[in-house]
Amino acid sequence: MASTAAELARRKAREQDGAGSQANAIPFNQQDFEQLRGECLQNGSLFCDPTFPATWDSLGYNQLGRYSSKTIGVEWKRPTELCSEPQFIVDGAQRTDICQGALGDCWLLAAIASLTLDPQILSRVVPPAQSFSSQYAGIFHFQLWQYGEWVDVVVDDRLPTRDGKLLFVHSAEGREFWSALLEKAYAKLNSSYEALTGGSSIEGFEDFTGGIAESYDLREAPPFLFNIMRKALKLGSLLGCSIDISSSYETEAVTSQKLVKGHAYSITAAEQVQHFGSAVELLRIRNPWGQVEWTGAWSDDSKEWDGVQPEERRKLDHSADDGEFWMSYKDFLCQFSHLDICNLTPDMLTSNEVGRWNYAEFEGAWRVGSTAGGCRNYPGTTGAATFCSNPQFFIRLEDEDDDPHDGEDGCTVLIGLLQKDGRKERRFGRDLNTIGFAIYQVPDEYKGRSNVHLGPDVLLRRAAVARSQTFINMREVCGRFKLPPGEYAVVPSTFEPHRKGSFILRVFTEKEAHTSPMEDDVNAEIHEPDVGHNDVDPHFKRLFVQISGNDAEISAFELQQILDKVVAQRSDVKTDGFSLQTCRDIISLLDTDGSVKLGLVEFHTLWTKIQRYLEIFKNHDSDGSGTMSSHEMRAALAEAGFQLNSTVIQEIIGRYADTSYAVDFDCYIGCLIRLELLFKMFRTLDKKNQGKIELDLQQWLCLAIN
């Protein structure tokens, strides 16, 4: 419970002060760069990072672990120990600053190389005014996007070396260290260098920009991809492309028409020109080397330009010898293998010359027993039974796109489902979940409302209007959709039910859209039996006198014995006995005269209440097991009058379910009584009916102990 409360407090603080935004990055591990550097300068010492020490543990856990042959002879050294005049950046960041070392993180290095193409983004990730001369204290910092938040990562400049040379990324020039230190910051963020092995450059794209990336296999290019690219460029997106290699020997091999295999290119323009009166689609592509350009059709000074009007040729600036060249879209599809589009959030763009996506993001979690419902089509009945428990998110699309890329009216939506901490979990042998999402149209009866949680009547009886292309065990699943104006629910899930995980759901739309989590408002409409002395029949009175003893009242200890005896005689419910705490809660709820015991009318009220709750229990015990699954619990609570959101349901399951996430009858009754008591206490203290209360320390302690 304390961890959930802390997480809710963190989210509220973030909303209030913008912590984690681009303008207000969160110090990673609570390490403040300016403060730490100031302390080192004052003490005349060089920074040694205690949270990412120069030890084998920071290198890795298996292939780079303590006893691995790959880590024998590794020494951590500062750049000042490796060369006489180390530099942070020499003459601006260049692609040649990034040479791969003995680590399989070429995906990351390709993303780092892309930073050199955009000075604005580079300065965001690699803050300027860092050097080995002015205010040098052995400490550097970098800013990276991580699961919805920008974090400022501090590193010391001790780098792993062998035989006096950097073990991992290094510059061709040899005395430039910004790329090696950035790699170290990324390794720290993910717990070790080894955690960076293997991946997609899309991951690096996103962590350097906070954007959402789409990937296209150009052998299966969708129709109108050229129009998608042109519109993406108008929205300030970053576009990268590459040519597949069949083996490592082909890396950076140059084709006969001067294209480099296994090499990251960027696309900087998409234009349509008139060639002898016919329209031709062209792309401007940049080789980050600044040289080695395409020599085929539409290359610099090729004969195709003769068929273009001089004014248009001048506008396209087609003949500069700068590593940038034009190519027809048709040739592009034949020559290149992959296209990545990284769509940027509005706060990453400073230019007024580009449009902006509308953007929203939400944190969510799959928790076993409460919100880890699995996909609807999981084999067997389990998936269908639990699917509705998954988190849900609301999107209202009102305005159709301007200038639709495919000529069809509708609203373009990009949805990305990103699961957290996959690289950190590797050292514990945990794999990524297999994830995906489905999109449902909100029925008319729920339109205009996000304070609902759609149930089986919608999610199991209606078809999804769209879904992610596949369920896959990748960090992120992303899809582009064209939907008519309307209201939709996005349901992200793992493929299998009962798989825990945390995620970020991101939504990009061309036009403004209303988005929010779909959660029930927390409320209760509790049925209170209206019982007076005259309502108690004589037979019940005689029984009460027999069991209550001389004082004609029932204590918590007596109540426990009575309830256990009664329930033990039933074969349709399972129980291991009522707890004394539940019995005390019952008395706190129903004791009207302050005797801390139940009198005749109070006990009759309890009996009426338990009879009703028993009926609800049996209605929702679908398999007749005598227990209620945690996923059945939500509907049972709703029938009992409790409207609760996923966060509260999660806490209930954590407290009342057993190790197989089943709730027996005594725990079910204990939960309902506790909820009644909590709602009653809150409403008593919320005198102005504002939905919030203020407590002093004494009140808080008395309530918590109760």
Side-chain angles (χ1 to χ4, degrees):
M1 185 171 70
S3 62
T4 302
E7 175 64 15
L8 292 173
R10 183 191 69 79
R11 292 186 190 181
K12 186 173 182 180
R14 181 185 171 190
E15 291 172 3
Q16 290 176 342
D17 62 15
S21 65
Q22 184 188 6
N24 189 13
I26 297 170
F28 185 66
N29 287 348
Q30 299 182 328
Q31 291 176 297
D32 183 276
F33 171 71
E34 295 293 346
Q35 179 185 341
L36 291 171
R37 182 171 67 170
E39 290 173 358
C40 289
L41 290 172
Q42 186 175 0
N43 298 333
S45 61
L46 295 179
F47 179 62
C48 293
D49 187 358
T51 69
F52 197 66
T55 64
W56 62 269
D57 192 50
S58 297
L59 289 176
Y61 45 88
N62 186 12
Q63 294 297 314
L64 295 176
R66 185 173 198 170
Y67 303 108
S68 170
S69 60
K70 294 183 179 181
T71 59
I72 294 174
V74 171
E75 297 180 281
W76 296 76
K77 293 188 176 183
R78 298 185 190 269
T80 50
E81 300 174 85
L82 297 174
C83 62
S84 58
E85 293 184 8
Q87 301 289 319
F88 188 63
I89 293 182
V90 178
D91 298 328
Q94 304 292 331
R95 183 251 163 227
T96 53
D97 299 344
I98 306 144
C99 300
Q100 188 173 356
L103 188 63
D105 63 347
C106 59
W107 63 273
L108 175 62
L109 306 191
I112 294 176
S114 73
L115 287 178
T116 67
L117 307 179
D118 194 313
Q120 176 193 332
I121 295 176
L122 177 70
S123 64
R124 177 74 185 82
V125 174
V126 185
Q130 301 189 78
S131 77
F132 289 93
S133 53
S134 175
Q135 290 195 300
Y136 170 68
I139 183 172
F140 294 85
H141 70 130
F142 302 87
Q143 298 200 345
L144 301 165
W145 184 87
Q146 218 30 206
Y147 311 121
E149 294 180 333
W150 283 94
V151 292
D152 190 88
V153 185
V154 164
V155 292
D156 64 35
D157 62 352
R158 295 177 295 176
L159 297 167
T161 70
R162 184 184 282 125
D163 300 326
K165 295 181 179 179
L166 290 179
L167 190 62
F168 303 131
V169 74
H170 54 279
S171 68
E173 201 271 345
R175 61 190 183 97
E176 195 167 3
F177 290 93
W178 72 271
S179 58
L181 291 167
L182 173 56
E183 181 188 47
K184 181 174 183 177
Y186 205 82
K188 176 179 176 177
L189 198 62
N190 289 282
S191 78
S192 71
Y193 278 95
E194 185 173 351
L196 305 186
T197 303
S200 165
S201 58
I202 279 180
E203 189 175 336
F205 263 141
E206 292 186 340
D207 288 347
F208 294 146
T209 66
I212 188 171
E214 307 171 78
S215 186
Y216 294 92
D217 182 343
L218 296 177
R219 292 167 297 188
E220 302 174 356
F224 311 107
L225 179 58
F226 178 80
N227 292 342
I228 291 174
M229 296 167 70
R230 183 161 60 175
K231 200 157 195 178
L233 288 163
K234 289 179 180 177
L235 290 167
S237 304
L238 301 179
L239 277 67
C241 56
S242 61
I243 303 171
D244 281 349
I245 58 173
S246 56
S247 72
S248 59
Y249 296 107
E250 285 192 321
T251 303
E252 297 193 345
V254 180
T255 69
S256 60
Q257 292 178 305
K258 300 296 185 183
L259 292 177
V260 186
K261 291 186 175 183
H263 179 59
Y265 286 84
S266 60
I267 299 170
T268 57
E271 298 287 349
Q272 195 174 70
V273 300
Q274 292 297 316
H275 180 249
F276 293 123
S278 298
V280 178
E281 294 170 335
L282 297 181
L283 297 173
R284 188 174 66 201
I285 303 174
R286 181 180 177 189
N287 182 346
W289 284 354
Q291 53 189 350
V292 188
E293 294 186 12
W294 159 253
T295 58
W298 297 100
S299 60
D300 292 2
D301 301 322
S302 68
K303 60 182 177 58
E304 284 77 15
W305 290 104
D306 297 338
V308 178
Q309 292 294 327
E311 183 179 334
E312 198 164 14
R313 288 205 305 267
R314 284 192 296 272
K315 184 178 71 173
L316 297 182
D317 188 23
H318 71 280
S319 61
D321 185 18
D322 55 1
E324 203 162 50
F325 55 87
W326 290 91
M327 171 186 281
S328 73
Y329 174 64
K330 183 178 178 182
D331 280 340
F332 171 74
L333 293 180
C334 294
Q335 298 291 334
F336 284 88
S337 309
H338 287 280
L339 168 70
D340 294 330
I341 301 177
C342 187
N343 303 285
L344 302 184
T345 55
D347 60 355
M348 275 301 292
L349 299 168
T350 57
S351 171
N352 293 322
E353 296 178 3
V354 297
R356 281 163 171 72
W357 288 96
N358 288 278
Y359 170 71
E361 71 175 37
F362 305 99
E363 292 185 69
W366 298 295
R367 294 290 178 260
V368 179
S370 55
T371 58
C375 79
R376 172 175 164 175
N377 299 324
Y378 182 72
T381 59
T382 308
T386 59
F387 176 65
C388 303
S389 302
N390 285 299
Q392 302 172 11
F393 299 88
F394 175 83
I395 304 175
R396 183 191 298 128
L397 303 172
E398 296 178 340
D399 299 322
E400 295 181 331
D401 299 345
D402 296 330
D403 185 26
H405 67 265
D406 55 3
E408 296 183 10
D409 292 335
C411 309
T412 295
V413 186
L414 299 180
I415 295 177
L417 174 61
L418 176 69
Q419 54 183 321
K420 291 185 177 182
D421 298 327
R423 293 188 179 276
K424 287 183 181 178
E425 297 288 307
R426 281 185 186 176
R427 66 166 59 220
F428 306 112
R430 298 173 191 149
D431 295 327
L432 287 168
N433 283 320
T434 300
I435 60 171
F437 57 85
I439 306 173
Y440 291 83
Q441 191 148 25
V442 174
D444 290 343
E445 61 266 32
Y446 296 119
K447 281 190 174 176
R449 297 177 59 193
S450 59
N451 62 336
V452 293
H453 192 87
L454 300 181
D457 57 323
V458 177
L459 300 185
L460 300 185
R461 295 177 188 169
R462 301 182 182 217
V465 298
R467 61 180 66 250
S468 54
Q469 188 172 13
T470 183
F471 275 77
I472 191 167
N473 60 337
M474 292 181 65
R475 184 175 92 146
E476 184 172 43
V477 173
C478 179
R480 176 186 284 259
F481 307 95
K482 176 71 74 72
L483 300 172
E487 296 183 4
Y488 301 90
V490 182
V491 185
S493 73
T494 58
F495 179 67
E496 300 174 70
H498 317 305
R499 300 279 296 187
K500 74 173 183 177
S502 299
F503 65 85
I504 298 289
L505 185 81
R506 299 188 289 165
V507 180
F508 282 64
T509 56
E510 285 201 14
K511 290 297 187 73
E512 189 172 350
H514 174 72
T515 54
S516 66
M518 292 187 77
E519 278 290 4
D520 290 316
D521 293 332
V522 176
N523 200 1
E525 294 181 9
I526 302 165
H527 173 72
E528 294 290 356
D530 185 14
V531 179
H533 274 280
N534 296 332
D535 300 311
V536 183
D537 65 63
H539 177 65
F540 190 90
K541 286 181 181 177
R542 285 195 297 273
L543 286 175
F544 179 78
V545 170
Q546 291 175 16
I547 61 179
S548 63
N550 295 331
D551 61 354
E553 288 191 310
I554 295 174
S555 69
F557 301 97
E558 292 170 322
L559 180 60
Q560 184 181 33
Q561 294 172 353
I562 294 166
L563 292 177
D564 284 348
K565 185 175 181 180
V566 170
V567 177
Q569 296 173 358
R570 300 191 66 103
S571 60
D572 54 350
V573 296
K574 287 187 178 178
T575 175
D576 55 3
F578 281 78
S579 72
L580 192 58
Q581 181 60 51
T582 293
C583 296
R584 285 171 172 156
D585 284 346
I586 290 171
I587 291 175
S588 293
L589 177 66
L590 299 176
D591 176 25
T592 56
D593 58 8
S595 66
V596 199
K597 294 182 180 181
L598 296 182
L600 172 63
V601 174
E602 295 162 341
F603 186 70
H604 192 279
T605 300
L606 169 64
W607 206 249
T608 305
K609 193 180 288 288
I610 287 180
Q611 291 294 324
R612 177 170 178 267
Y613 285 164
L614 173 62
E615 183 180 343
I616 294 171
F617 184 91
K618 292 174 68 176
N619 287 343
H620 292 276
D621 177 16
S622 57
D623 60 358
S625 64
T627 64
M628 190 175 295
S629 79
S630 56
H631 294 279
E632 293 168 332
M633 190 73 172
R634 186 171 199 148
L637 289 168
E639 187 177 337
F642 299 101
Q643 186 174 293
L644 305 172
N645 62 25
S646 297
T647 302
V648 179
I649 295 287
Q650 179 183 321
E651 291 301 308
I652 286 172
I653 298 307
R655 177 162 179 170
Y656 293 100
D658 63 18
T659 54
S660 60
Y661 299 98
V663 180
D664 63 13
F665 184 69
D666 55 277
C667 286
Y668 162 79
I669 292 294
C671 172
L672 293 177
I673 293 296
R674 186 70 178 167
L675 284 170
E676 281 199 44
L677 186 60
L678 290 171
F679 273 100
K680 180 180 178 181
M681 290 190 294
F682 187 92
R683 286 168 175 171
T684 300
L685 293 166
D686 183 17
K687 300 185 185 300
K688 297 182 180 179
N689 198 27
Q690 295 178 320
K692 58 184 179 181
I693 59 176
E694 186 175 310
L695 304 175
D696 61 30
L697 182 58
Q698 176 179 285
Q699 290 172 316
W700 162 248
L701 290 173
C702 290
L703 280 175
I705 290 170
N706 188 284

